[in-house]
Structure formats: C-alpha cells, structure tokens
DNA sequence: TGCTAACCGAGACGGTACGTCTAGTCTTCGT
DNA sequence: ACGAAGACTAGACGTACCGTCTCGGTTAGCA
C-alpha cells in the first residue's frame, strides 16, 4: 500500500506511525462523507486506511475521539480571521466561513454527534473544547480587540466583564450559525449574514447593553 | 403523532393500546436519563415499558423517531410564554425556561443526537421540525406581536421581512441557549439571560438592524 | 378427524364452517409444495385459505397436527391394494404406489418432519399412528391373507407370531421404500421394486425363517 | 469436515480454536438430548459451549449443518463391524448396534429432522450422504465380502449388479431399523434382530433373488 | 322477533429466536 | 516492538413467527 521507505532503520519500529495517522484521519473524513456518523464503523475506517483495527485502537480510544480529531483538522485549516477593515465585515466573514465549514457533509454529520456524546463523557467534552471550541473563541477575542483598536467598540470595564462578554458573543455567533444550518436547515447566505451581523452590532454598540451591572 | 385521527371509522382488528404508547414514551425518557442516548437500546425501552419489542417497531421506525416523540412531549409540557409585562421579561423568561428544559438529562443527551442523525434523514428532520421546532418558533411570533402591541417594537414593513426576522431571532435565541448549554457547557443563569436579552433587544431596536434592505 | 360426530346434540351457536376446513387443508398442502415443512407458517396457511389465524388454532393444536391431517388425506386417497393375482405383483404394486406417494413434494417434506417431531410428542405419535401407520399396516395384513388363500404363504402358527411377522414385514417394506426415497435419494422404479420384492418373497418363503422359535 | 486441510501455508491471522469446535459439538449433542431438535436454538448451543453466536455461524451455515456434524461424530464412534464369525451374527450385530445408536435421544430426535430438511436443501443432502450414509454403506460392502470369503454368499456376476444389490441391502437394513425405531416406535431387541436377519438371509440366499436380470 | 352463544375476519399483543453487525480484545505470524 | 490479518466475546439490531387476545360483526338455534 505504501512505498517501502529506503531508510535503513536497523530496528523495526514505527516508520508507519505518521503516515498511518494521516491515512486514518483521511479515511475517517471520507467515511463521514459517504456514510455519516451513525453508519461509520471502525472496521470500515481501518479497511479504507489499509490498516488493522488494532492500530486504530492503539491510537484512539474509540469512534468519538477519532472523529473529533478528524474534524478538528478541518477547523485548523479553515478557521482564520483576515482583517477585512471593519467590525461588520469581520463578523460577516467569519459567519460565512463558519457556515461553509458546517455545510460540509463531514462536519455537518459529525459535529452534533460528538457534542451529543460529550454530554455523557467528560474527557470527550474536554477534547472538543481544546480541539475546536477554544480556537473558535480565539477569533472572537481577536475580532473584538481589532474593533476596539479601530474605535468601533469601547474598551471593557474589567477583565471579568470582558471574558463574560466574549463568551456571550461566541455563543451567540456560533449558536446562531449552527442552529440555522442544522436545526432550521436553512442556508446561511450573504443576506442572512448581513441581517445577523446588523443585529449583533446593534446589540453590542447599544447603550452599554453588553455589560450588565449585576 | 402516530395515528391519523381523521378517519372516523374504526379499523378492524384489535385497536392499539393507548396505555402502551404512554408507557413506552415514559420508559424512553427514563432510559435517556439513566443511560443517555448512545447506551439506550430498543430492547431496554421495551423491557422497561413492559412491552414487546415488536410493539415499539410497529409504532416507531427506530430509536431516532422514538426519542424525538419522547422529548417532544417535554417541549409540549414545558414551553409556554406567560405575559410578563415587558419584552425584556418575556425574553428572559423564555430563555430561562428553555435552558431549564435543555438542562434536563433526557433532553441534554437526546436533542443534539437526533439533530445529528437528521442531517442524513429527511423524514427525521421533518419530524423534528413539526414536533419541536415549529412550536418553539411560535413563541417568537407571539412574543413579538405582544411587544408590538405594547409599542416596544415597530411593526414590520412586509410579511416577508417579518418572517425572515422571526426566523433570525429564533435561530439567535435557540442557538445561543443551546450552544451555551451543550457546547460551552456553562450554565444559563439569570445573569447570562439578562446579558443576552440586553444584547438582543439592543439589536432589535437598533438602527434598522431588523430589516436589511437587500 | 377433528370433530366428534357421534354427539347428536348440536352445540348452540354458530357451527364451524366445513368449507374452511377444506380450504385450510388444501392451503396446507399447497404451502408444503411451495415452501416445504420448515418454511411453512401458520400465518401463511391462514392467508392462503382466506381465513384468520384464530380459526386454524381453534381446530388444530399447531403446525404438526395440521400437517399430519393434511397428508393423511393423501394416504386415504392413494393407498389401496388392488388384487393383482399374485403375491409378487401385490407387493410390487404397493411398493410402487407408496413410492409414488412419497415422491410427491408435500409428503416428501412433511412426513419425516412430523415423525421427527413425534419423537418428543406422544400425542403426535399417536395421531400419526392412527391416521397413517395403521392404515398402511392393514395393507400388509390384507396382502398376506390373500397370499395364504392362494397358497403362496403358509398359515401362521400362532396369533402372536402372525402379528410379529406382520409388523416385521411392514417395517421392512415401508422402511426400505422410505430410506431409498428420502435418505439414499434414489428413485424407486420398476427394477428396484422387482429386486426388492424378490428379496422379500425369498425371505418369507425360505425355511420358516420368518418365525423364530424364541 | 469444516476446513480444507490441503493448504500447507497457514493462513494469516489468528487460527480458529479447535477447542471451540469440540465444545460446540458437545454442547449441540447435550442440547439435543435435553431439548430435542425443534427446541434447540443456536443461542442456547452457543451459551452451553461458552462461545459467541458469531463463532457458530462462522463455522456452520445453520442449525441443520451443525446437527449433521454433531451426530456424524456419533456414527464415527459407534459404527463398526467386528467379525462375529458368520453372516447371521454380523448382520444381527450391526442391526443391534445401529438400533442402539438410533435409540439415543440425540440421534432419535435429530436424524429424521435433518433428513426432512434435506428434501429441500441439496447441500445438506450431500453433507448427510458424505458424513453419515456412505460410512454406513461401507459396512454393507465389508460384511458381504466377508460372507463371500466364508462361502456364505456367492460372488456377484458383475460390478453393476454388485453395487445395485449392495444399495438394496443397505436400504433394507437401515430402512427397517429406522422405521421400526422411529415410526413404529417399537424396540429393536434380539428377537426382532433374529427375525429380521433370518428374513434377509433367506432372501439373499434364495433363488436368484439378489440379481434381477432386468 | 329477539336473545344468546359460538363462530368469523382482522390485527395488535407479549414472547422468543433468528441471522447479521459492530465494538473492542486477543492471538498468530511476518518484518 | 510493531503491524496485518482475522478469530474471539459480548450484545444490540430489526425481522419473522408463534400462539393469545381483543375488537366489531355474522350466523345459527331457541324462545
């Protein structure tokens, strides 16, 4: 399946390791596209990757962990925040990028499934948080600091309020896009993104609303 | 939900046991609480309900459809919108009620799972929409018309814009609460609800935010 | 076969449909031909006969009893012993008739199956004996008395010996034909029947062999 | 019986457990004794053998094939033909041994059942023939050659006649014993064996009985 | 003519077994 | 020491029949 490496390593160890990892994650994504989460099986992934099931279980604890890693790769590649010059453009941009990512069949079917599983599995929840959620949240922080630098948003009163507001904004953006895409099953297009962004900016800039005194 | 009540002529043969339906849905909820979505099995539900597996499959196509009906009942019971006197109070109320519902173990574990499955199953998606989503969306419409009657919100310019805005608001509210609860795994308490509501009302009453011309 | 016709008092209520009985037995034979014993189901027989399953169970205890009655009818129709003028011709005739009956798909598949079941079911064994076996054994007795009348066979020494010999001959004839047809799966044709009959008559007429002193 | 031992190269992967095979066949026989053919289930056999159902189905196509192999073992162990010095003694001996085998609960309940199934299943018929029937037929050939060596029976005129006669004798012996035991449900004791043997030897040594010219 | 009892169809019911599938582990050989 | 191959235990899957039951409705004989 894989070319025999010419490296004359004297001890047979793990020349496959890195290559196998990639093949497995690729196979996982391909299987997600074709079969969806619930029909995806470890045996099928192993066969696609040209790898024994043993090898999968040696590296991942199970289906959940494997899929999290497989889709996390996608988030790494596709989530970034180019500076588009204004807060509105930045938000619209990230909304559209995120929606595009969610619309891929491999993420669409996998993301909610692992979230569902994570309600019963603390380790999985932590893995999702570190592999996916925190990276997204970073975008919110980055966007806000840019907007504050541009003068579009006021500085926060305190570090605690800043964190709370960032969490709120993150949940609103990610939640709205996910809900629109997966639950309402309607497309997130330019029009929707503009409407949503207008609503959000209106809320953020309005009357100090985002920092409740309590 | 299962039968077509329009037919006035009773079909021949032994009628289905209404008691079994109730027992099955109760058992499903109990099993969700104890086992969670992924460990729930049809055989276990049947055993808890004191019913044969055949009876389950005669009424529901599978685990997905069964669980949708089981949690839909909870939405029926717990989702309502008492008039609290102001738009802010109404929104905070519905947010807290919805969060409370999502925090129940049976919904927490089941909701994202069936949504995930629905990405591959059109019939299931439709079932979720009619059994759960549309009822929630009704609350948004009700709340808005109350607010308009109170003068807190302006009337919509057109029916199309009204529907688009309602969908947007619905996705924002439901998405934010779901994301906060299940993905961020943080509590939706009074403070968060106030912050979120302030953000939303700010956006709604802000400069033309709710009606993008495009 | 099923009813007790001796009772002169007609029971109150609607009498059982005689037509249903016939339709059920016909349907059973047809199902045996098409499906064989193991694939035959009560529900299928009921559907073919245009009758509810309840009606079957009201008349027969189960699949075994039903099939015994269905094939017993065939034995009634096809087992007789026309006087062909000599012992040899009589035996060859009955062998060929019995073989022909066994070669029908409905008997071939059903007979051994009910015999197998009867090893664990005394009531079924009795039903087979009275409905099938005893009638066949009658043919042996009839054939022997004819042969004795013709002078082809000597009279028996005692009633006990007579009964024992008749049983032996019956088991030899029926057993050989059944074994040839179902186990060896070879045809019982005229040649085989002649060879078998010669063997049997040789044994019967030879040196008082059929009546061991013990 | 299950494997093709011709391949000298050991297939890759974990080899099948020989112990499991033995445990399964033992469990099958035990279940036949306790439950009989019709109540025997694959799941029960698996549980008795301490084996997963999958393992059964990996080796045998179903209940029929499994039971054939299980009873074939008994035939291997218990069917042999010690030289008792005379044709009569040899036949009586084999009749009694065969009857004893048939009287065991595991064979009594299973043999007719698989024969019945074999009327609809060519592969099963072939399996029964090779695993059981041919071995029995070998005994007939052996007994005849011994008798011919002793001068008790004449040599055959042709190979074809020899084969035909052997088949006939086999069907007569096996058929009579089976019919006596399972259909007539009467014991095969020494007296019956003597009577039957006398009948058979009389027929064999009688006037040209064994070689019909046609 | 109406009563009553047993019949009939249809089909839902609690059970049990089926044969398949997947998870995750274990064993063997080859490199 | 690792990897592929594949057998292993365990257990859920969804289906098929079993034999029973509950319906509404029918068909006799008796009053």
């Amino acid at each position: 399946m894989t070319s025999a490496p010419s490296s004359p390593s004297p001890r047979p160890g793990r020349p496959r390791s890195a290559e196998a990892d990639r093949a497995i994650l690729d196979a996982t994504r391909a299987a997600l596209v074709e079969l969806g989460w619930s029909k995806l099986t470890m045996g099928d992934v192993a066969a696609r990757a040209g790898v024994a099931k043993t090898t999968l279980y040696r590296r991942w604890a199970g289906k959940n962990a494997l899929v999290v890693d497989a889709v996390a790769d996608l988030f790494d590649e596709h989530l970034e925040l180019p500076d588009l010059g204004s807060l509105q453009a930045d938000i619209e941009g990230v909304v559209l990028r995120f929606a595009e990512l969610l619309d891929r069949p491999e993420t669409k079917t996998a993301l909610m499934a692992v979230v569902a599983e994570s309600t019963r599995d603390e380790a999985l929840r932590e893995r999702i948080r570190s592999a996916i959620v925190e990276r997204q949240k970073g975008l919110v922080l980055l966007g806000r600091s840019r907007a504050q630098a541009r003068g579009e948003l006021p500085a926060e009163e305190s570090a605690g309020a800043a964190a709370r507001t960032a969490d709120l904004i993150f949940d609103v953006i990610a939640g709205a896009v996910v809900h629109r895409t997966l639950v309402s099953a309607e497309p997130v297009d330019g029009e929707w993104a503009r409407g949503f962004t207008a609503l959000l900016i209106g809320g953020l800039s309005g009357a100090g609303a985002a920092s409740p005194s309590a």
Side-chain angles (χ1 to χ4, degrees), chain A:
Chain A
M1 185 151 313
T2 52
S3 60
S6 56
S7 67
S9 53
R11 293 289 169 261
R14 27 173 205 163
R16 285 296 209 119
S17 187
E19 193 178 354
D21 261 43
R22 195 169 30 77
I24 291 169
L25 292 174
D26 286 346
T28 305
R29 281 183 286 266
L32 278 172
V33 172
E34 281 182 40
L35 307 169
W37 160 265
S38 62
K39 307 283 185 189
L40 178 147
T41 70
M42 297 298 267
D44 186 66
V45 169
R48 284 167 191 258
V51 142
K53 266 198 302 175
T54 322
T55 305
L56 263 72
Y57 283 105
R58 208 173 286 125
R59 289 166 157 80
W60 287 276
K63 196 166 144 171
N64 292 328
L66 173 60
V67 170
V68 169
D69 279 9
V71 304
D73 276 9
L74 294 175
F75 280 75
D76 280 344
E77 297 173 23
H78 293 275
L79 271 193
E80 46 194 48
L81 185 64
D83 190 334
L84 298 174
S86 73
L87 177 58
Q88 176 179 335
D90 279 3
I91 295 179
E92 286 183 21
V94 79
V95 160
L96 287 172
R97 278 176 167 277
F98 185 41
E100 195 181 349
L101 188 55
L102 272 186
D103 207 44
R104 286 167 159 265
E106 57 267 44
T107 42
K108 186 185 292 206
T109 192
L111 210 59
M112 289 298 97
V114 293
V115 167
E117 292 295 310
S118 77
T119 60
R120 287 255 156 190
D121 182 342
E122 175 57 41
L124 181 61
R125 184 155 53 237
E126 190 46 47
R127 186 158 209 148
I128 292 173
R129 188 198 309 278
S130 64
I132 298 180
V133 173
E134 288 301 331
R135 293 183 223 185
Q136 293 179 283
K137 200 173 286 183
L139 298 188
V140 171
L141 298 173
L142 174 60
R144 182 170 61 180
S145 66
R146 278 193 197 148
Q148 288 170 339
R150 289 191 203 104
E152 293 169 307
L153 287 178
E156 302 298 321
E157 298 173 356
S158 70
R164 273 201 305 278
T165 318
D167 286 353
L168 173 62
I169 295 167
F170 171 59
D171 283 328
V172 169
I173 296 177
V177 173
V178 168
H179 202 270
R180 169 83 174 176
T181 305
L182 298 182
V183 181
S184 298
E186 301 281 350
V188 170
D189 51 15
E191 181 185 346
W192 190 89
R194 272 192 297 281
F196 171 73
T197 304
L199 181 72
L200 181 59
I201 293 183
L204 288 175
S205 53
S211 56
S213 59

